[in-house]
Amino acid sequence: MTEKKTKRFWADSWLVVSVAVPVLGAALATHLYRLAAEATPEKPPQPPLDWWQTAQFWLNFWATLSLLLALGVGITAKVMESRKKSKLEQTIDVQTEKLAGADRAKDAAVALAKLDQLVMVHDELIPVASSIADMARFPLEDRGPYLKNVTQAAASSLERLVSEHVQRPRAVIYSIDADADPVSMNPIGFKGRGKRPRPFKAGTPRGDAAIQFAFEAQPGDIWEDLTSKKPAGFDGSAADYKTFVSMPISTETGTYGMVSLDAPEPNSLADGDWALTKLIAEVMSIAFEVGQDQNTAGPDDDEPNGENVAFVWGQ
C-alpha cells in the first residue's frame, strides 16, 4: 500500500470512528445507566458485598466509561476539525495573497503595456499629423503628392502598430475616384505582405459592396474568419488573408475612401486593432479634407471659400 493510500485509509477510518463512537458510546451509556438503576437485588447477599462488587457499580462504571469515551472521541474530532479548518484557512489566506499579488502584477503589466501602446501610437501618428499640416500650406493643386505621401505614411504606421502582435498584417488606404468610368476605389497607400491590392470597381459585386460600404460611413466589424463567414460581394480574390476589418474615410462634406487591415491568420485581429483602424480612418479623413476639398484654406486665403466645395460621388 502506497503512502498516499495509507493516509487515505486512516483518514477514512478516523472519519467512521469520529462519527460512530460518540453515537454508540452515548447510546450504550444511557442503556447501562438504565440497567444500573433497575439492578436492585431482592435479597442482600450473605455475606454482604462491598460497594465496588455490586452489579450497580459495574454497570455505572461501564456506562460512565462509555460516556467518557464518546465525549473524548467527539471532542478530539472537533479539535482536529478545527485545526484542519485553521490550516485550510491559512492556506486560503496565503493563496489569496499570492493571487492578489499576481493580479496587482498583472494590472501593472497591463497598464505598462497600454502606456507603451499609447507611446507607439503617438510616435507613429505625429509624423502623419505633421505631413497634413505641411500639406495645408500649399495651394490645392499642389497638394496631391503630399496626400499620397500622407496615405503611405498612415498605412505604414497602422501596419507597424499591428505587427507587434499580428503576424504579417497588411494595411491599405483606398481613395474614391468619382471621375472614373466606372467609378472606382483605388489603393493609394499600402504596407505589408503581398503585391499592391486590386481596386474596387463599380458594376461588380465586389466593387459595389465595397463602395456602398464606404458611402454608408459606418464603422465596419471585424470579419474574424473568412473561411466560415464572408461579407456580401466577397469573391475570394483575396486568397492570402482570412480576416480583415475596414473603416470608411468620410466627413460631413463627403466620402473619400476606406482604410482596410487584413491578416492571413483567422481570428488574429482584436478589438484594439479595430480601434487603431478606426483612428487611422479618422486621421485620414482630415488628410483627404485638406488634400482634396477646395473649401480648405490655402496659404493665401484669409477664410475658406464657401462657394467652392469639392463633391464626391454619392454626395
Side-chain angles (χ1 to χ4, degrees):
M1 186 180 293
T2 63
E3 182 179 355
K4 186 176 181 180
K5 290 183 177 180
T6 302
K7 289 183 178 180
R8 181 62 182 271
F9 170 77
W10 287 113
D12 293 342
S13 300
W14 169 248
L15 179 62
V16 173
V17 171
S18 63
V19 173
V21 170
V23 175
L24 296 177
L28 180 60
T30 302
H31 180 66
L32 292 175
Y33 278 132
R34 187 172 66 251
L35 292 178
E38 296 173 353
T40 303
E42 295 180 358
K43 293 182 179 180
Q46 296 296 331
L49 299 174
D50 293 330
W51 61 270
W52 52 270
Q53 294 177 319
T54 62
Q56 274 187 322
F57 168 77
W58 287 109
L59 288 171
N60 285 322
F61 172 80
W62 290 113
T64 303
L65 185 62
S66 298
L67 183 60
L68 291 176
L69 180 62
L71 291 173
V73 172
I75 293 172
T76 301
K78 288 295 183 183
V79 171
M80 292 180 67
E81 181 182 354
S82 177
R83 289 180 178 177
K84 186 176 181 181
K85 183 177 180 181
S86 178
K87 284 186 178 181
L88 179 60
E89 290 174 345
Q90 292 176 3
T91 302
I92 292 175
D93 290 341
V94 171
Q95 295 300 323
T96 301
E97 184 62 28
K98 286 182 179 180
L99 290 174
D103 287 341
R104 287 193 293 269
K106 181 179 178 182
D107 291 341
V110 170
L112 184 60
K114 288 182 178 179
L115 179 60
D116 290 343
Q117 184 76 2
L118 288 174
V119 171
M120 288 180 60
V121 171
H122 173 272
D123 292 344
E124 291 291 344
L125 292 187
I126 282 298
V128 177
S130 298
S131 297
I132 295 173
D134 292 339
M135 180 171 56
R137 297 189 181 100
F138 289 84
L140 178 63
E141 60 271 14
D142 296 334
R143 295 176 188 175
Y146 278 90
L147 179 60
K148 183 173 179 59
N149 290 338
V150 170
T151 59
Q152 185 60 45
S156 298
S157 296
L158 180 58
E159 188 271 342
R160 280 194 295 268
L161 289 169
V162 174
S163 62
E164 292 289 321
H165 54 276
V166 177
Q167 185 177 11
R168 302 182 67 221
R170 180 179 63 174
V172 187
I173 296 177
Y174 294 89
S175 174
I176 292 177
D177 186 355
D179 296 327
D181 187 17
V183 173
S184 63
M185 190 159 58
N186 305 310
I188 61 171
F190 75 98
K191 180 67 182 297
R193 71 187 192 286
K195 300 178 181 180
R196 175 183 288 273
R198 290 194 302 142
F200 295 96
K201 294 185 178 295
T204 65
R206 175 177 178 269
D208 289 343
I211 294 172
Q212 180 182 354
F213 166 77
F215 280 102
E216 286 175 352
Q218 295 297 323
D221 297 324
I222 296 177
W223 291 88
E224 298 177 344
D225 187 354
L226 294 173
T227 61
S228 60
K229 187 176 181 181
K230 301 177 181 179
F234 187 87
D235 60 2
S237 61
D240 66 332
Y241 65 90
K242 300 298 185 292
T243 180
F244 81 95
V245 59
S246 295
M247 294 289 169
I249 301 172
S250 62
T251 67
E252 293 181 354
T253 60
T255 295
Y256 298 101
M258 178 177 72
V259 177
S260 184
L261 175 68
D262 60 60
E265 285 294 324
N267 303 300
S268 58
L269 299 180
D271 291 342
D273 305 313
W274 181 93
L276 285 172
T277 306
K278 188 172 186 295
L279 176 61
I280 294 297
E282 291 173 352
V283 172
M284 292 312 303
S285 68
I286 300 172
F288 276 97
E289 190 90 357
V290 173
Q292 294 185 1
D293 197 338
Q294 297 180 28
N295 198 37
T296 303
D300 300 326
D301 295 332
D302 294 330
E303 295 181 356
N305 186 350
E307 297 179 356
N308 297 322
V309 180
F311 290 92
V312 294
W313 182 61
Q315 300 300 309

